[in-house]
Amino acid sequence: MKRMLCRLAAMLCALILCVSCACAEMQEYEVTFFNVFDTFSRIAVYAPSQAQAQTWCQTAYTVLLECHRLYDIYNDYEGVTNLKTLNDTAAQGPVAVDGRIMDLLAYARDMYDLTGGRTNVAMGAVLRLWHDARDTGVLPDAQALQAAAKHTDISDLVLDQQAGTVFFADPELKLDVGAIAKGYATELAALALEEAGVTSGLLSIGGNVRIIGVKPDGSPYRAGIQDPNVPDGSTTIAVVELNDQSLVTSGDYQRYIEVDGVRYHHIIDPDTLMPAAHMRSVSVRTHHSGLADALSTALFTLPLEDGLALVESLEDVEAVWITAEETMVCSSGIAPVE
């Protein structure tokens, strides 16, 4: 571990750049990397020196890397009990887990309740079939999907928070935290930066944006909403101002396969077990990045009227929808600036 951290420090020292000057005391420094949550990531902080910026960025990077390993459902890591460990063994008896896994799963159950089951980390048996389909190019069999759906009851996820253990009451239950883990980990990294003393900064983890404070001159940060028709992210269709907030987008252009000219994306409607057909993208603005992540997935699977009703019922939550007809719709408390 010590050697790993030394290599990490060396990497961050090599990558961190001073990208702008806000004033004589505070400059903006940034670091980019690709090895957490299998996506391009960027951390930018305003700091009085490169050395301080390096220390802060290393703090956030370490949190993200540890969460990446803990929340991974596909890979094992030496000495780490992670979600793959749970999928492999938790039906055999309670498994002791890291507190960050317990906290994530407890939060995920809250998100299940908040979204009426639209965001469900117990959907792994179904989502695994779609994951395999993206690898093979062969659509999952309808009967197989229906059989898998019988093993997605979140009440079979038994959390003993006092003992720190997780147990699967259904031997065929599988976890998939893709709808929440990246946002939740981003929030943990932002909290670590705030505790370390950062008062102005940005984390963009695969497009999950979390802002700390405002810029040193008092102006808000801005984040773009991607044009769903330009998958490389080079074109935005709107810009949203963020003040100590998150913006998370779920879209049909991120992961998909095409079969016989039809696109099948990765956001699965829990009712139909097929890719949700209502939206091209949904962007959620709220303070907590985990909440924004969970809600963006849920709203993507809901008809617009139902999604609007959910957002308007929640405090400090706003959303921007790009519908299947490519119409932009905004909740009452958000107005894109471009």
Side-chain angles (χ1 to χ4, degrees):
M1 176 61 74
K2 185 175 181 180
R3 284 194 294 271
M4 183 275 288
L5 291 176
C6 288
R7 290 196 298 271
L8 168 62
M11 182 193 74
L12 289 176
C13 186
L15 291 178
I16 198 162
L17 299 172
C18 177
V19 295
S20 70
C21 179
C23 60
E25 293 78 21
M26 299 292 284
Q27 293 180 324
E28 185 183 21
Y29 299 86
E30 72 170 30
V31 60
T32 60
F33 44 92
F34 295 86
N35 63 329
V36 297
F37 296 100
D38 303 315
T39 189
F40 173 79
S41 298
R42 171 177 173 245
I43 300 170
V45 295
Y46 281 91
S49 68
Q50 180 171 325
Q52 182 63 76
Q54 179 187 331
T55 298
W56 283 340
C57 288
Q58 180 176 321
T59 295
Y61 177 90
T62 300
V63 170
L64 291 166
L65 183 62
E66 291 175 350
C67 288
H68 166 81
R69 292 173 175 172
L70 288 169
Y71 302 156
D72 196 335
I73 65 171
Y74 300 111
N75 301 290
D76 296 302
Y77 302 91
E78 185 177 355
V80 176
T81 297
N82 64 3
L83 293 185
K84 181 178 184 299
T85 310
L86 293 183
N87 279 344
D88 291 343
T89 65
Q92 301 166 22
V95 177
V97 297
D98 185 286
R100 286 164 292 185
I101 288 180
M102 182 64 71
D103 291 345
L104 171 71
L105 296 181
Y107 191 78
R109 289 201 307 195
D110 292 341
M111 293 300 100
Y112 178 91
D113 294 338
L114 182 69
T115 63
R118 309 307 294 184
T119 299
N120 181 7
V121 297
M123 281 279 290
V126 169
L127 297 179
R128 180 170 293 184
L129 295 175
W130 281 104
H131 179 272
D132 292 344
R134 291 194 298 274
D135 285 344
T136 64
V138 179
L139 295 180
D141 178 77
Q143 290 184 332
L145 287 170
Q146 291 294 336
K150 296 177 181 179
H151 305 287
T152 61
D153 187 342
I154 201 167
S155 67
D156 289 323
L157 174 63
V158 182
L159 307 181
D160 187 333
Q161 291 178 279
Q162 184 173 358
T165 61
V166 177
F167 172 65
F168 294 174
D170 177 356
E172 296 187 56
L173 182 142
K174 300 295 180 186
L175 295 174
D176 187 312
V177 296
I180 191 172
K182 188 165 57 173
Y184 192 84
T186 301
E187 186 67 22
L188 292 181
L191 292 175
L193 287 177
E194 290 174 344
E195 291 174 2
V198 175
T199 58
S200 181
L202 173 152
L203 298 95
S204 178
I205 312 303
N208 286 36
V209 177
R210 169 66 155 86
I211 299 301
I212 298 171
V214 295
K215 293 182 179 180
D217 64 4
S219 63
Y221 283 86
R222 290 184 171 189
I225 295 175
Q226 184 174 331
D227 184 340
N229 293 313
V230 186
D232 67 3
S234 61
T235 303
T236 60
I237 56 173
V239 175
V240 174
E241 291 186 341
L242 301 172
N243 179 347
D244 206 31
Q245 295 167 310
S246 293
L247 184 74
V248 177
T249 299
S250 292
D252 67 359
Y253 50 84
Q254 295 171 327
R255 295 194 299 277
Y256 61 88
I257 57 170
E258 288 190 3
V259 179
D260 297 329
V262 178
R263 176 181 293 186
Y264 297 85
H265 61 77
H266 74 292
I267 306 173
I268 305 304
D269 186 323
D271 293 333
T272 66
L273 309 180
M274 297 293 290
H278 304 292
M279 303 297 161
R280 297 298 314 279
S281 75
V282 181
S283 302
V284 175
R285 185 182 74 185
T286 191
H287 178 75
H288 193 290
S289 188
L291 175 61
D293 206 357
L295 283 175
S296 69
T297 300
L299 295 173
F300 193 97
T301 70
L302 285 170
L304 178 60
E305 182 177 345
D306 295 341
L308 270 168
L310 175 58
V311 169
E312 298 294 354
S313 73
L314 299 173
E315 186 177 354
D316 187 37
V317 174
E318 304 295 341
V320 177
W321 290 260
I322 307 299
T323 68
E325 297 76 29
E326 301 195 6
T327 299
M328 181 185 295
V329 179
C330 302
S331 60
S332 60
I334 190 170
V337 296
E338 294 181 10

